[in-house]
Amino acid sequence: MNREEILIQPSMPVFSPSYPRGPYRFVRREYLIINYETDRDALRRALPEPLEPHPDNLVFYEWMKMPDSSGFGDYQESGQAAHAFYNGEPCNFSIQMYLDDEPPITAGREIWGFPKKWGQPRLDLRKDTLTGTLYYDEERVAMGTMTYKHKSLNGDLPKVKEGLKKLNVNLKLLPDVDGSPKVAQLVGYRLEDITVHGAWDGEGRLDLIPHVNCRVADLPIKRIVGARHMIVDFTLPFGQVLHDYLA
């Protein structure tokens, strides 16, 4: 391969790329999101500067089912994020994410800095209960439940759509060949071409179990604020550097 042939490749390994070049389209992506108040000191430890936490110390735990994702296929995901502020602008900061498919793990980490690891998340409707579980090395570390379609938001779908346009932020860290930091950035992105097929609010409950390699319980639950169920389409575009720690 010559230089030009190398530089047009979307990802490694070159002979069998992990993922194609984006942007990436997600169709009928289903969410279970449980918002809760956590410990103030624990939240501050999880947020990198210059981000500031929500004054009510709010975070959310979510499950996502992706049945049709361009380049990534059919997979599920579970993770934790914080409501925060970047230069006074509300944003969501991704703290940790667990999923069961190699291409989105690799692409997410390499392109946007998503904090992704391998896990076994599942989002299912079990009788009258929307239920999310996360297993790590065959041990259950999280379970979330929500009443199924108790409060429809069909009259507020434009507001739901607007909320999905919120700034999202990741901390991207990549080492150089000698182990020193090569990339240390806050990366921002906003979802595009959003279609909301449905959204519902309801009662939710969340159980997080301590595990040293899947630390979802390190942001403890003080108070459940609410739960939301959504089905949406959107495009995940490339991001932009908000803050460079090596500059």
Side-chain angles (χ1 to χ4, degrees), residues 11 23 35 38 76 116 124 127-128 144 153 165 180 223:
S11 60
N35 285 279
T38 193
Q76 298 199 33
K116 295 176 182 281
D124 299 298
K127 305 300 183 183
D128 62 345
L153 299 178
K165 296 179 181 179
S180 64
R223 174 178 62 95

Side-chain angles (χ1 to χ4, degrees), residues 3 35 42 75 95 97 116 121 144 162 199 208 211-212 222 244:
R3 178 178 183 275
N35 285 279
Y75 66 102
I95 298 172
M97 309 171 84
K116 295 176 182 281
E162 197 62 31
L208 303 176
H211 190 296
V212 71
K222 296 183 68 175
D244 190 342

Side-chain angles (χ1 to χ4, degrees), residues 35-39 56-59 220-225:
N35 285 279
Y36 70 95
E37 178 187 352
T38 193
D39 177 77
D56 293 331
N57 304 311
L58 295 183
V59 297
I221 305 162
K222 296 183 68 175
R223 174 178 62 95
I224 298 292
V225 175

